[in-house]
Amino acid sequence: MTEVPGAREELDRARDRLRELFAALVTELTGDPGPRVPNPGTPQIAAGEESGEALRFEYSLHMQDLVPAEGVDDPARVAAEWLERAGWRVALNPARPPYPAGAEARLGESRLRVGTRPETGLLTITAYTPEIRLHEPRSAAPTPPGCPRCDRPLAWFRLGLPGGHSRPGRPGRLRPETWWECSGCDWLGWQRHEGEGLVPMLRRTSAEGGDCYRCGEEAATAVTEPRLDADRHLTAWAVCLACGTSNGMRWKPSLDR
Ligand SMILES: [Zn+2]
Ligand SMILES: [Zn+2]
């Protein structure tokens, strides 16, 4: 999977635009002149790989329990009017429990939702950038690199995303990495994109915490080599080879050795 030229920059620009607008809307609704809008670190997978298409990615922003400014007695309506002035297409939804009253807005492919809960009076705002295809479609049969340990050609295997088989009759969505293992020496690892560097993974036994917390499969998880971060904590990234669940790990190294 090679990156589509310019797609990363397009996604970054979409994120920055949405972040600015999000901050201005929070200011409008809460009166906070400099709200701390979260910075979404990495884009999430929004859709794709169901019909041989490449994955599409988006950034999302979410803030909840915001307190409306005095005088903003109907935040959804205030948001709707403000967004309309900014060129968004807006629909106002009355409360339909369990869904609160809110404003749904679109600008091109960007989406935004403002919700209010009458019982608490607090606000929730969620926004998404357009979905952008970041990579060329994955090749049906990626070219096997040589095993870093024993130089035999590696074997590609499909690792699905959790919940990727939710739609019957459709092939499940694959994890974004390209996964490889060695039939000779049991080496395991992945590439971010086909043709790029290989990242080795260490298989864990049940005793090492290798059982998957999500699907329960025993000794199914693998981790990256732990690394020391700037705060002198160890970090690693774990994946379940049965269900594709991944999670980051961070812990304090023990001082007694
Ligand atoms: Zn090998
Ligand atoms: Zn699992």
Side-chain angles (χ1 to χ4, degrees), residues 179-253:
W179 284 82
W180 300 99
E181 62 188 344
C182 179
S183 57
C185 72
D186 206 31
W187 185 92
L188 170 75
W190 51 271
Q191 291 170 307
R192 191 162 298 282
H193 309 118
E194 198 184 335
E196 293 187 1
L198 290 159
V199 180
M201 297 292 282
L202 315 166
R203 295 179 199 270
R204 292 195 297 182
T205 63
S206 290
E208 292 163 337
D211 298 352
C212 176
Y213 71 90
R214 181 157 176 158
C215 73
E217 191 69 24
E218 290 175 17
T221 66
V223 286
T224 55
E225 189 80 58
R227 282 206 308 217
L228 213 51
D229 69 9
D231 293 333
R232 306 194 62 75
H233 281 72
L234 287 166
T235 63
W237 182 71
V239 170
C240 173
L241 300 171
C243 72
T245 295
S246 65
N247 63 286
M249 297 155 59
R250 189 166 182 271
W251 68 97
K252 245 188 152 81

Side-chain angles (χ1 to χ4, degrees), residues 24 30 43 51 93 107 140 156 159 167 174 208 220 253:
T30 66
S51 52
N93 302 324
L107 180 65
W156 175 56
L159 185 53
R167 279 176 250 189
L174 298 181
E208 292 163 337

Side-chain angles (χ1 to χ4, degrees), residues 1 11 42-50 54-60 111 128 131-132 134-135 138 161-162 173-177 246:
M1 289 200 296
L11 198 55
T42 49
Q44 299 119 27
I45 297 167
E49 287 231 323
E50 278 144 3
L55 294 172
R56 280 175 293 153
F57 291 81
E58 70 187 356
Y59 283 103
S60 65
R111 288 163 288 144
Y128 301 88
E131 295 172 8
I132 290 170
L134 211 47
H135 308 112
R138 196 194 303 254
L161 280 167
R173 278 159 49 179
L174 298 181
R175 287 200 53 88
E177 312 86 22
S246 65

